[in-house]
Amino acid sequence: MRRRVSIFLLLGLLLVLAGLLGRLYLHQQLQRAGISELTWAGPGWHSGALTLDELTLTLDNGSTFELQQLALAPGWRSGVMLKRAEADRLVLNLPAAEQAPSASETDSPLVLLGDETFWRTLARWLPDSARLQQIQATLPCRTGQCLLAGSWRLDSERSVGSTTLSSQLLLDLEGQQLALSPRLQLDAERVALQAALAIDGQPAARLDSQWQQGHAWQGQLAIPDWPQTPWLFGYLGRWLTLGALPFEQIPTAAQADLSWQLHPAEKPARVEDWLGGAVALQANVVLPEPWAIAGVGSLTGEMSLQLSGDQGRWALPDAQLNMVLVPDLLATLQQLPSALQPAQVALRLQPASEQQLVLGQPLALQLSADATLPSGGTAQLDGPLQVQGLADWQINSDALLVQLQLPRLVLPELAARSVTARLPLQLQANARSATIGLSKAGELGWQRLQLPAAELALTATSARVGTLAITLPLDEGQSASATGELAAEINRVEHAQFKPQSWSLSGDWEWQDGALVWRGQVANAAGLQLDHQANFSSDGQWQLDGTLAPIYFRAGNPLEQTLASWPALLSLSSGQLNAELQAGDSGKGLRARLSARLSGAKGIYDRTAFSGLTTPVQVSLQGDRFSAVLADLQMTELDAGIPAGPLAADLAYRGALDQPLAGTLDAQRLTLALLGGRVSLTPATLDMAQPEQRAELVLQGLELGRLFEVYPTEGLSGGGTLDGRLPVLLRDGQLLVDQGAVAARAPGGVLRYQSDKLQRLAASNPSMRELAGALEEFHYTVLSSQVELAEGGDLTLALRLQGSNPDFQQGRQVNLNINLQENIPALLASLQLSGKVSDIIEQRVQQYLLKKRIEQP
């Protein structure tokens, strides 16, 4: 009896000891697992399973796991295992971590997921079936704590040598349903994982992956048709920093296919080990619907990539990018003229053949881009690229070719038709800016270009672009800039003030903030050359400053061959002209100023020859008003049949562009040396808009002897000095004299008239005999005349003479009244033909005389 009691006591002590030891072991295991507290309630046994009403685990970091209505059914599979696990509800609460724990490279998810042992261990420890009817998780997020709800189930099929695990995780993301359905298959040779992702009941992605030989990994990720998920980035943004991404959602309807085959040389311990053996990657992405990327635009198209590697030697057998970009017109493009802002861009990229990929070395690509521009224009960009880096990327090229075709180009400053360009370019770009230059000279041309502000048209132009440098900042707030050199040949320049002919243009330019500065030289076929600088501001205002190359008229007259308004009757044979030009439009209309100096000019105007013409010229234009000032005109000689000169004048003319001949002429000084004396104009202002203009000429000291020299009359000679005043009238372009008066200075002079014709008349007429005798040596004391110059140039002189001949009738005083008439233009014409004149004047005189004969009745 005592022996039995002792045995029971011993067994009781052993049980108590086993319980104490078990509890101690359980406590140590919980501490090792980081579980600081474990409580349960309502234990029981039902249908071969341990049941608990509630099980709560509290971890050392404050996380809690609460399972309600838990059922755990044990089983046997090469040892004790958990056969079935079910719970009505899982309440999970993870507090925010003060600092993320550091993870070694061996803890990397990619290393872990690529380890076949991990999947076999997971399959061995997972129960045959599991259910979580309701999951309620409180997780740390960027806003503090966020809720996540869902459910999970697991089913397995196990047979000798193989296991299949099927699972499904359903998550409710605040009204959006996400379903992940993985399926794991294992046998002695391989592990296979298939997983499908569905969003709101629509298939989104599928994964097929296999592991063999312990660490060989191959798989495929397919996205057949990504559903609309505008909410996804907003939800993920609670945990991830997505603001740096240039897009706001995964592209709708995107299709992708990614496959890989990884055969590392040894079991990977780091991510890099997966890429150290044989590697084959292939990716295909299709964007059938526009994908908006901030600051770039909307992308559609497809991309394919094949990448292979072996023992660290990499190659890119094939890569294709075929995309259509509809630009967002980001700040950089908005600085370009609207006519050059692309409506869409088709991009094509492929790697250069037979190239090895080396870490840190650039990747060689072939680029082709076709841009559609407004008005049916196109721009093409082709050539090789070298791309290096990802976050701090760089793109370089020294052999890009840009070709531009624009049926029509309209800018604020100009309008052009049939514009073409061919520019070989160099490119350097990074995430901050892009710099574009010329690798060699480019070509630019257009059929017709118009500058409305200048009323100028340039036809059939071909240009050579010597240099070009464009800087396009890619950061916000920075402005684009450009510089270059241009040389152009213009087949025809059309302007109301110019005669059509060919011109050449060369210079350099700068463009920034919408403003253009041009410095260059323009010349035409006639020999006219202007060195100039032009400034065009972003608001449409412009300014031109130019210096005319000196013109030597002995070598030719480029002004006559250039200016449409050059007087047809004016020709220059010598002299020099220097001029400077300023012009512009500040928003108040066109303004211009020409400062010139003419020195030593010699030439012909109509039938008048002149020489020694020197004068400063100031011509200004303001809006529709203009003025021309000759402040100190000097002329050495003037010959319209009677030699005259020198001439001095101060003249100013002001008028309107729409009626240039209806302005006012201000003549403050006009003097002409004539016949030993002087003819001057009384200061006057003439209104050319009126039908008639009046002024007065003053004659001083004209010598009769000089008159008789230039106007030879048979048998007539003499001397004396004449003064007078001639009221002149300008009517319809004709100069008239009304009631002019000329008289000889006291004490008078001598007239001698000895003519054979007069002697013959005197032989038969006593009165004529007395007149002939008196005029043989007539000493006059009074010589005066009324002067009338009528239309057509008919001059009438009412001459009155008083005097005597000392040798005739004892010096008896003789009073004579003589009326003389002469046509001045005809007289001057005859005087010119009788002397030595140029061929031009002789031809014009003959044309004048012929015209007069035809006009006579």
Side-chain angles (χ1 to χ4, degrees):
M1 187 67 178
R2 288 182 178 178
R3 187 174 183 180
R4 291 182 178 179
V5 171
S6 298
I7 292 175
F8 283 122
L9 288 175
L10 181 60
L11 289 175
L13 289 174
L14 289 175
L15 289 174
V16 172
L17 180 61
L20 292 174
L21 291 175
R23 182 172 183 176
L24 178 62
Y25 175 78
L26 178 61
H27 180 70
Q28 290 177 344
Q29 294 301 316
L30 291 176
Q31 283 185 332
R32 185 177 297 177
I35 300 174
S36 61
E37 184 178 352
L38 173 64
T39 61
W40 62 83
W45 185 269
H46 180 70
S47 300
L50 174 65
T51 62
L52 295 172
D53 291 341
E54 183 176 309
L55 175 66
T56 303
L57 291 86
T58 303
L59 304 184
D60 292 340
N61 61 4
S63 301
T64 61
F65 295 81
E66 181 182 342
L67 293 165
Q68 299 176 0
Q69 302 301 317
L70 175 64
L72 300 175
W76 183 268
R77 188 189 319 127
S78 301
V80 178
M81 45 79 66
L82 189 63
K83 183 177 181 181
R84 176 170 58 88
E86 294 180 352
D88 288 350
R89 187 181 186 193
L90 169 64
V91 179
L92 174 64
N93 190 345
L94 300 181
E98 296 182 359
Q99 184 176 1
S102 60
S104 64
E105 290 186 349
T106 56
D107 295 332
S108 169
L110 182 60
V111 174
L112 189 61
L113 295 178
D115 187 356
E116 180 183 350
T117 305
F118 165 77
W119 296 105
R120 293 188 180 276
T121 303
L122 179 65
R124 185 168 62 250
W125 283 100
L126 282 175
D128 291 342
S129 66
R131 299 286 189 277
L132 287 175
Q133 300 295 338
Q134 183 180 1
I135 300 174
Q136 181 178 332
T138 302
L139 307 177
C141 61
R142 300 171 63 87
T143 60
Q145 296 291 110
C146 298
L147 297 178
L148 183 67
S151 63
W152 175 70
R153 67 172 180 81
L154 171 68
D155 297 301
S156 65
E157 296 178 5
R158 301 180 186 272
S159 60
V160 178
S162 67
T163 300
T164 300
L165 300 177
S166 300
S167 178
Q168 184 179 59
L169 175 65
L170 298 178
L171 296 177
D172 186 350
L173 307 182
E174 295 185 351
Q176 310 296 330
Q177 302 298 319
L178 186 147
L180 179 62
S181 303
R183 179 182 176 86
L184 183 65
Q185 294 177 301
L186 305 94
D187 56 28
E189 297 181 355
R190 67 185 183 98
V191 175
L193 174 67
Q194 292 87 36
L197 175 67
I199 299 177
D200 289 337
Q202 299 183 36
R206 180 174 179 81
L207 172 68
D208 290 293
S209 184
Q210 294 183 13
W211 295 263
Q212 290 180 332
Q213 301 174 356
H215 51 264
W217 184 15
Q218 66 181 25
Q220 180 181 17
L221 175 64
I223 300 177
D225 190 358
W226 187 264
Q228 291 187 0
T229 55
W231 50 269
L232 183 58
F233 268 34
Y235 191 87
L236 295 178
R238 299 178 179 184
W239 288 277
L240 304 176
T241 303
L242 302 175
L245 296 177
F247 46 85
E248 297 180 354
Q249 62 174 321
I250 300 175
T252 301
Q255 303 169 17
D257 190 354
L258 172 65
S259 61
W260 63 91
Q261 293 181 352
L262 306 177
H263 297 275
E266 57 186 14
K267 182 177 180 179
R270 301 175 304 169
V271 175
E272 290 83 351
D273 295 340
W274 281 111
L275 306 178
V279 178
L281 300 176
Q282 182 171 346
N284 295 280
V285 177
V286 179
L287 302 177
E289 296 185 11
W291 182 28
I293 301 178
V296 177
S298 298
L299 278 176
T300 56
E302 58 182 295
M303 178 185 69
S304 62
L305 173 70
Q306 288 185 5
L307 182 67
S308 63
D310 187 14
Q311 305 300 321
R313 296 185 298 273
W314 292 82
L316 198 62
D318 182 44
Q320 298 285 338
L321 174 67
N322 293 284
M323 291 286 180
V324 175
L325 170 66
V326 178
D328 250 349
L329 297 182
L330 64 164
T332 298
L333 289 179
Q334 286 178 345
Q335 297 182 47
L336 295 175
S338 59
L340 298 178
Q341 295 177 0
Q344 70 175 30
V345 180
L347 297 172
R348 292 182 296 278
L349 269 176
Q350 61 183 30
S353 59
E354 299 181 359
Q355 66 172 318
Q356 294 293 322
L357 303 183
V358 180
L359 184 65
Q361 296 297 318
L363 173 64
L365 301 172
Q366 185 70 27
L367 168 67
S368 178
D370 296 329
T372 301
L373 303 178
S375 303
T378 60
Q380 295 178 330
L381 174 62
D382 298 282
L385 291 177
Q386 290 186 336
V387 181
Q388 185 173 359
L390 293 176
D392 190 17
W393 56 268
Q394 294 182 3
I395 300 177
N396 298 285
S397 177
D398 57 0
L400 291 174
L401 178 62
V402 171
Q403 299 184 82
L404 179 69
Q405 290 186 335
L406 288 174
R408 184 167 57 91
L409 174 62
V410 179
L411 302 179
E413 301 86 4
L414 59 85
R417 189 174 69 240
S418 300
V419 179
T420 60
R422 189 177 188 275
L423 302 174
L425 297 181
Q426 295 175 324
L427 170 67
Q428 293 181 342
N430 53 40
R432 294 169 296 278
S433 66
T435 301
I436 304 171
L438 284 180
S439 58
K440 59 182 180 179
E443 300 173 359
L444 177 65
W446 58 79
Q447 185 60 36
R448 184 175 180 85
L449 183 145
Q450 292 178 295
L451 299 169
E455 299 180 353
L456 185 67
L458 313 177
T459 303
T461 300
S462 61
R464 181 179 182 272
V465 183
T467 62
L468 179 67
I470 303 174
T471 301
L472 297 174
L474 302 181
D475 294 333
E476 292 289 339
Q478 301 295 321
S479 61
S481 62
T483 61
E485 294 180 356
L486 180 70
E489 295 294 332
I490 308 166
N491 185 60
R492 182 182 176 91
V493 173
E494 299 175 6
H495 190 275
Q497 301 300 325
F498 296 148
K499 295 179 180 178
Q501 61 184 296
S502 63
W503 290 70
S504 63
L505 177 71
S506 62
D508 58 82
W509 54 272
E510 300 176 6
W511 179 79
Q512 188 169 14
D513 295 329
L516 176 66
V517 178
W518 165 271
R519 292 175 293 269
Q521 181 184 95
V522 61
N524 65 6
L528 193 68
Q529 178 179 311
L530 180 70
D531 298 321
H532 62 281
Q533 175 173 321
N535 298 272
F536 298 90
S537 63
S538 58
D539 57 3
Q541 300 182 19
W542 60 276
Q543 172 71 33
L544 172 67
D545 297 284
T547 300
L548 192 68
I551 297 176
Y552 301 96
F553 293 104
R554 186 179 296 276
N557 186 356
L559 291 178
E560 180 181 2
Q561 301 174 49
T562 300
L563 300 177
S565 59
W566 182 267
L569 298 178
L570 175 62
S571 59
L572 299 174
S573 58
S574 67
Q576 178 179 340
L577 177 66
N578 299 84
E580 294 182 352
L581 173 67
Q582 295 87 38
D585 185 355
S586 60
K588 299 180 180 180
L590 179 64
R591 57 178 177 82
R593 181 180 180 85
L594 174 68
S595 300
R597 182 170 183 82
L598 181 63
S599 304
K602 179 181 180 181
I604 298 171
Y605 181 74
D606 197 3
R607 304 192 303 275
T608 301
F610 61 87
S611 63
L613 175 59
T614 299
T615 181
V617 180
Q618 296 287 340
V619 179
S620 62
L621 173 67
Q622 183 67 51
D624 61 349
R625 303 292 299 177
F626 72 93
S627 66
V629 178
L630 307 178
D632 185 21
L633 185 148
Q634 302 289 334
M635 186 181 296
T636 304
E637 185 177 356
L638 183 67
D639 190 349
I642 299 178
L647 179 145
D650 292 326
L651 305 174
Y653 185 82
R654 296 174 177 83
L657 288 177
D658 55 350
Q659 292 182 315
L661 301 180
T664 58
L665 175 64
D666 188 8
Q668 293 300 314
R669 179 171 69 105
L670 178 61
T671 62
L672 174 65
L674 177 66
L675 301 177
R678 184 178 67 180
V679 178
S680 60
L681 179 70
T682 301
T685 299
L686 307 180
D687 187 356
M688 309 306 291
Q690 301 300 319
E692 298 179 346
Q693 294 80 37
R694 294 182 178 274
E696 186 177 63
L697 293 176
V698 178
L699 310 181
Q700 294 176 302
L702 274 64
E703 298 294 334
L704 275 175
R706 297 283 298 274
L707 176 62
F708 293 149
E709 290 176 4
V710 299
Y711 178 37
T713 301
E714 182 182 359
L716 181 62
S717 63
T721 302
L722 302 177
D723 299 316
R725 304 182 75 86
L726 302 178
V728 296
L729 175 66
L730 189 63
R731 179 190 297 159
D732 297 331
Q734 293 195 54
L735 184 64
L736 310 177
V737 176
D738 183 20
Q739 297 181 356
V742 178
R745 290 181 183 176
V750 178
L751 285 177
R752 301 181 182 88
Y753 185 52
Q754 298 177 356
S755 170
D756 293 340
K757 182 178 180 180
L758 183 59
Q759 293 298 328
R760 289 193 296 271
L761 291 174
S764 58
N765 189 326
S767 298
M768 295 300 296
R769 187 180 305 115
E770 290 184 359
L771 178 60
L775 293 179
E776 285 183 355
E777 185 73 23
F778 187 74
H779 293 251
Y780 62 88
T781 56
V782 174
L783 188 157
S784 63
S785 177
Q786 296 293 320
V787 181
E788 300 286 341
L789 182 62
E791 295 182 0
D794 292 329
L795 176 66
T796 300
L797 298 177
L799 187 63
R800 186 168 69 89
L801 286 171
Q802 290 183 1
S804 63
N805 184 346
D807 299 328
F808 179 73
Q809 295 182 356
Q810 299 179 352
R812 181 172 64 87
Q813 180 171 319
V814 177
N815 297 325
L816 296 175
N817 293 310
I818 304 173
N819 289 324
L820 299 178
Q821 291 185 340
E822 187 70 74
N823 184 270
I824 296 300
L827 171 64
L828 295 177
S830 63
L831 291 177
Q832 290 174 316
L833 290 180
S834 63
K836 293 183 178 180
V837 295
S838 67
D839 294 340
I840 295 177
I841 293 180
E842 182 178 358
Q843 181 181 5
R844 291 177 180 175
V845 169
Q846 291 174 349
Q847 291 174 349
Y848 167 77
L849 295 177
L850 177 61
K851 179 180 178 181
K852 295 299 291 184
R853 285 196 296 269
I854 294 175
E855 291 176 352
Q856 291 177 354

Short mmCIF file of all heavy atoms in Angstrom, two decimals, residues 462-464 466 484-490 503-509 518-523 529-533:
data_model
loop_
_atom_site.label_atom_id
_atom_site.label_comp_id
_atom_site.label_asym_id
_atom_site.label_seq_id
_atom_site.Cartn_x
_atom_site.Cartn_y
_atom_site.Cartn_z
N SER A 462 18.17 81.12 -98.88
CA SER A 462 18.93 80.00 -98.37
C SER A 462 19.96 80.54 -97.39
O SER A 462 20.65 81.52 -97.68
CB SER A 462 19.63 79.24 -99.51
OG SER A 462 20.53 80.08 -100.20
N ALA A 463 20.04 79.91 -96.21
CA ALA A 463 20.90 80.42 -95.15
C ALA A 463 21.82 79.31 -94.66
O ALA A 463 21.46 78.13 -94.66
CB ALA A 463 20.07 80.97 -94.00
N ARG A 464 22.98 79.72 -94.22
CA ARG A 464 23.95 78.81 -93.62
C ARG A 464 24.09 79.17 -92.15
O ARG A 464 24.43 80.31 -91.81
CB ARG A 464 25.30 78.93 -94.33
CG ARG A 464 26.38 78.01 -93.78
CD ARG A 464 27.68 78.19 -94.58
NE ARG A 464 28.71 77.29 -94.12
CZ ARG A 464 29.56 77.55 -93.13
NH1 ARG A 464 29.46 78.70 -92.48
NH2 ARG A 464 30.49 76.68 -92.80
N GLY A 466 26.18 78.96 -89.16
CA GLY A 466 27.57 78.64 -88.84
C GLY A 466 27.73 78.04 -87.46
O GLY A 466 28.37 77.00 -87.29
N GLY A 484 23.83 82.17 -81.95
CA GLY A 484 24.19 81.54 -83.20
C GLY A 484 24.74 82.53 -84.22
O GLY A 484 24.79 83.74 -83.98
N GLU A 485 25.19 81.98 -85.35
CA GLU A 485 25.67 82.77 -86.48
C GLU A 485 24.89 82.35 -87.72
O GLU A 485 24.58 81.16 -87.89
CB GLU A 485 27.16 82.56 -86.70
CG GLU A 485 28.03 83.09 -85.56
CD GLU A 485 29.50 82.85 -85.83
OE1 GLU A 485 29.82 82.21 -86.85
OE2 GLU A 485 30.34 83.30 -85.02
N LEU A 486 24.61 83.31 -88.59
CA LEU A 486 23.78 83.04 -89.76
C LEU A 486 24.32 83.83 -90.95
O LEU A 486 24.70 85.00 -90.81
CB LEU A 486 22.33 83.45 -89.49
CG LEU A 486 21.32 83.23 -90.61
CD1 LEU A 486 21.08 81.74 -90.81
CD2 LEU A 486 20.01 83.93 -90.30
N ALA A 487 24.37 83.19 -92.11
CA ALA A 487 24.72 83.85 -93.37
C ALA A 487 23.68 83.43 -94.40
O ALA A 487 23.48 82.24 -94.63
CB ALA A 487 26.13 83.46 -93.83
N ALA A 488 23.01 84.41 -95.01
CA ALA A 488 21.88 84.11 -95.89
C ALA A 488 22.05 84.80 -97.24
O ALA A 488 22.59 85.91 -97.32
CB ALA A 488 20.56 84.54 -95.25
N GLU A 489 21.57 84.13 -98.26
CA GLU A 489 21.48 84.70 -99.60
C GLU A 489 20.00 84.79 -99.96
O GLU A 489 19.30 83.79 -100.00
CB GLU A 489 22.22 83.83 -100.61
CG GLU A 489 23.72 83.75 -100.40
CD GLU A 489 24.41 85.09 -100.62
OE1 GLU A 489 23.88 85.90 -101.42
OE2 GLU A 489 25.47 85.33 -100.00
N ILE A 490 19.54 86.00 -100.21
CA ILE A 490 18.12 86.26 -100.47
C ILE A 490 17.98 86.59 -101.96
O ILE A 490 18.54 87.58 -102.43
CB ILE A 490 17.60 87.41 -99.60
CG1 ILE A 490 17.94 87.15 -98.13
CG2 ILE A 490 16.11 87.60 -99.79
CD1 ILE A 490 17.77 88.35 -97.24
N TRP A 503 19.88 90.16 -102.18
CA TRP A 503 20.58 90.70 -101.02
C TRP A 503 21.30 89.56 -100.31
O TRP A 503 20.95 88.39 -100.47
CB TRP A 503 19.61 91.36 -100.03
CG TRP A 503 19.01 92.66 -100.52
CD1 TRP A 503 18.09 92.82 -101.52
CD2 TRP A 503 19.27 93.95 -100.01
NE1 TRP A 503 17.77 94.14 -101.67
CE2 TRP A 503 18.47 94.87 -100.75
CE3 TRP A 503 20.08 94.45 -98.99
CZ2 TRP A 503 18.48 96.23 -100.51
CZ3 TRP A 503 20.10 95.81 -98.74
CH2 TRP A 503 19.31 96.70 -99.50
N SER A 504 22.28 89.91 -99.52
CA SER A 504 22.97 88.94 -98.66
C SER A 504 22.94 89.47 -97.24
O SER A 504 22.94 90.68 -97.01
CB SER A 504 24.41 88.71 -99.12
OG SER A 504 25.17 89.91 -99.02
N LEU A 505 22.90 88.53 -96.29
CA LEU A 505 22.80 88.88 -94.87
C LEU A 505 23.71 87.95 -94.08
O LEU A 505 23.72 86.75 -94.32
CB LEU A 505 21.35 88.72 -94.40
CG LEU A 505 21.06 88.98 -92.93
CD1 LEU A 505 21.16 90.46 -92.61
CD2 LEU A 505 19.66 88.47 -92.56
N SER A 506 24.45 88.51 -93.14
CA SER A 506 25.30 87.70 -92.27
C SER A 506 25.40 88.37 -90.91
O SER A 506 25.30 89.59 -90.80
CB SER A 506 26.70 87.52 -92.88
OG SER A 506 27.34 88.78 -93.02
N GLY A 507 25.56 87.54 -89.88
CA GLY A 507 25.68 88.11 -88.54
C GLY A 507 25.53 87.05 -87.47
O GLY A 507 25.41 85.85 -87.75
N ASP A 508 25.55 87.50 -86.23
CA ASP A 508 25.34 86.62 -85.09
C ASP A 508 24.18 87.14 -84.27
O ASP A 508 23.84 88.33 -84.33
CB ASP A 508 26.60 86.53 -84.23
CG ASP A 508 27.05 87.89 -83.72
OD1 ASP A 508 26.50 88.37 -82.71
OD2 ASP A 508 27.95 88.50 -84.34
N TRP A 509 23.55 86.25 -83.46
CA TRP A 509 22.35 86.61 -82.73
C TRP A 509 22.33 85.96 -81.35
O TRP A 509 23.01 84.97 -81.11
CB TRP A 509 21.10 86.20 -83.52
CG TRP A 509 21.07 84.75 -83.91
CD1 TRP A 509 21.60 84.20 -85.04
CD2 TRP A 509 20.50 83.67 -83.17
NE1 TRP A 509 21.39 82.85 -85.04
CE2 TRP A 509 20.72 82.49 -83.92
CE3 TRP A 509 19.82 83.59 -81.97
CZ2 TRP A 509 20.29 81.26 -83.49
CZ3 TRP A 509 19.39 82.34 -81.52
CH2 TRP A 509 19.63 81.20 -82.29
N TRP A 518 20.35 90.96 -82.71
CA TRP A 518 21.03 90.57 -83.96
C TRP A 518 22.10 91.60 -84.29
O TRP A 518 21.85 92.81 -84.24
CB TRP A 518 20.01 90.47 -85.10
CG TRP A 518 20.63 90.43 -86.46
CD1 TRP A 518 20.94 91.49 -87.26
CD2 TRP A 518 21.04 89.27 -87.18
NE1 TRP A 518 21.51 91.07 -88.43
CE2 TRP A 518 21.59 89.71 -88.41
CE3 TRP A 518 20.98 87.91 -86.90
CZ2 TRP A 518 22.08 88.82 -89.35
CZ3 TRP A 518 21.47 87.03 -87.85
CH2 TRP A 518 22.00 87.48 -89.06
N ARG A 519 23.29 91.15 -84.62
CA ARG A 519 24.40 92.01 -85.05
C ARG A 519 24.94 91.45 -86.35
O ARG A 519 25.37 90.28 -86.38
CB ARG A 519 25.50 92.05 -83.99
CG ARG A 519 25.10 92.76 -82.71
CD ARG A 519 26.20 92.66 -81.66
NE ARG A 519 26.36 91.28 -81.23
CZ ARG A 519 25.70 90.77 -80.19
NH1 ARG A 519 24.85 91.51 -79.51
NH2 ARG A 519 25.89 89.51 -79.84
N GLY A 520 24.93 92.27 -87.42
CA GLY A 520 25.38 91.72 -88.68
C GLY A 520 25.58 92.75 -89.76
O GLY A 520 25.73 93.96 -89.50
N GLN A 521 25.55 92.25 -90.98
CA GLN A 521 25.80 93.07 -92.16
C GLN A 521 24.83 92.64 -93.25
O GLN A 521 24.59 91.45 -93.44
CB GLN A 521 27.24 92.88 -92.63
CG GLN A 521 27.64 93.69 -93.82
CD GLN A 521 29.05 93.36 -94.28
OE1 GLN A 521 29.26 92.53 -95.16
NE2 GLN A 521 30.05 94.00 -93.66
N VAL A 522 24.27 93.62 -93.95
CA VAL A 522 23.38 93.34 -95.07
C VAL A 522 23.91 94.10 -96.28
O VAL A 522 24.37 95.24 -96.17
CB VAL A 522 21.92 93.75 -94.74
CG1 VAL A 522 21.81 95.23 -94.44
CG2 VAL A 522 20.99 93.35 -95.87
N ALA A 523 23.89 93.44 -97.43
CA ALA A 523 24.39 94.05 -98.67
C ALA A 523 23.54 93.56 -99.82
O ALA A 523 22.89 92.51 -99.74
CB ALA A 523 25.86 93.69 -98.90
N GLN A 529 25.86 98.46 -98.66
CA GLN A 529 26.21 97.63 -97.52
C GLN A 529 25.91 98.38 -96.23
O GLN A 529 26.30 99.53 -96.07
CB GLN A 529 27.69 97.25 -97.57
CG GLN A 529 28.16 96.42 -96.39
CD GLN A 529 29.62 96.04 -96.50
OE1 GLN A 529 30.07 95.55 -97.53
NE2 GLN A 529 30.37 96.28 -95.45
N LEU A 530 25.22 97.70 -95.29
CA LEU A 530 24.84 98.30 -94.02
C LEU A 530 25.27 97.38 -92.88
O LEU A 530 24.82 96.24 -92.79
CB LEU A 530 23.33 98.54 -93.95
CG LEU A 530 22.79 99.17 -92.67
CD1 LEU A 530 23.24 100.62 -92.57
CD2 LEU A 530 21.27 99.07 -92.61
N ASP A 531 26.16 97.87 -92.02
CA ASP A 531 26.50 97.16 -90.79
C ASP A 531 25.52 97.61 -89.71
O ASP A 531 25.33 98.82 -89.51
CB ASP A 531 27.93 97.49 -90.35
CG ASP A 531 28.96 97.05 -91.39
OD1 ASP A 531 28.77 95.98 -91.98
OD2 ASP A 531 29.93 97.79 -91.62
N HIS A 532 24.91 96.66 -89.00
CA HIS A 532 23.79 97.03 -88.15
C HIS A 532 23.65 96.11 -86.95
O HIS A 532 24.26 95.04 -86.89
CB HIS A 532 22.49 96.98 -88.96
CG HIS A 532 22.18 95.61 -89.49
ND1 HIS A 532 22.79 95.07 -90.61
CD2 HIS A 532 21.34 94.64 -89.03
CE1 HIS A 532 22.35 93.87 -90.83
NE2 HIS A 532 21.47 93.57 -89.88
N GLN A 533 22.83 96.57 -86.00
CA GLN A 533 22.40 95.77 -84.85
C GLN A 533 20.91 95.98 -84.68
O GLN A 533 20.43 97.11 -84.69
CB GLN A 533 23.15 96.17 -83.58
CG GLN A 533 22.64 95.43 -82.34
CD GLN A 533 23.46 95.69 -81.11
OE1 GLN A 533 24.68 95.77 -81.18
NE2 GLN A 533 22.81 95.83 -79.97
#
